[in-house]
Amino acid sequence: MTSDQPVPQELKAIDTASLLRLEERAREFDLGQRQDPAWIHANAAPDGDHYLWPTLWHDLPHRPDVPRQLRCELLIALSAGGHVLCLLDVLPVDFTPLRTVTSRDEGLPASRLLDRARSDRDRQLNEDAAP
């Protein structure tokens, strides 16, 4: 997968351990879109399926040592129930081997959740507003 190719149109399903690895990798490269791994540990459903949907290629021209990455919508299944939608920058080398959702029975509900889940920004605003 090279940076001049179109954005992959693949929904990827990942488990929580893989999600944590991707978040650590994003932190290692200091990529702009990532979540706090401590928050993921505390809130992601340990046995949940989480989903990545690539939306655009993202690069850092001011940091030529960092490879171009895929900016993905990330749907996180929460241990308290529900889902939250955020962004995660993923290197193509890490994205390609992830499990691609090919079943309509899995893909359609995941797509609907991507469209309806509350955003991470809303979640943060609600936490900040709580007494």
Side-chain angles (χ1 to χ4, degrees), residues 55-77:
T55 58
L56 59 89
W57 285 106
H58 186 254
D59 58 17
L60 304 169
H62 63 288
R63 293 179 52 205
D65 58 313
V66 177
R68 183 173 267 197
Q69 63 269 185
L70 288 163
R71 179 150 294 167
C72 298
E73 290 183 336
L74 168 61
L75 183 68
I76 302 174

Side-chain angles (χ1 to χ4, degrees), residues 4-126:
D4 58 342
Q5 290 181 320
V7 173
Q9 297 297 302
E10 297 175 289
L11 178 64
K12 299 286 190 166
I14 57 175
D15 60 17
T16 301
S18 297
L19 172 57
L20 286 165
R21 281 192 297 276
L22 291 172
E23 293 287 357
E24 286 298 332
R25 185 89 152 139
R27 184 168 301 284
E28 173 187 327
F29 279 90
D30 196 26
L31 302 179
Q33 297 298 321
R34 61 183 190 270
Q35 303 302 305
D36 178 6
W39 185 89
I40 299 285
H41 251 302
N43 294 285
D47 297 325
D49 283 326
H50 315 289
Y51 295 96
L52 285 170
W53 178 255
T55 58
L56 59 89
W57 285 106
H58 186 254
D59 58 17
L60 304 169
H62 63 288
R63 293 179 52 205
D65 58 313
V66 177
R68 183 173 267 197
Q69 63 269 185
L70 288 163
R71 179 150 294 167
C72 298
E73 290 183 336
L74 168 61
L75 183 68
I76 302 174
L78 301 174
S79 56
H83 295 81
V84 68
L85 182 65
C86 49
L87 298 174
L88 178 60
D89 289 344
V90 179
L91 299 176
V93 68
D94 297 326
F95 181 83
T96 301
L98 299 172
R99 181 176 71 85
T100 301
V101 173
T102 57
S103 161
R104 181 175 169 85
D105 290 341
E106 182 180 12
L108 197 54
S111 175
R112 288 185 183 132
L113 285 170
L114 279 165
D115 290 339
R116 291 191 314 244
R118 75 181 168 135
S119 72
D120 184 55
R121 179 165 171 76
D122 288 342
R123 177 195 59 82
Q124 289 175 4
L125 289 173
N126 288 337

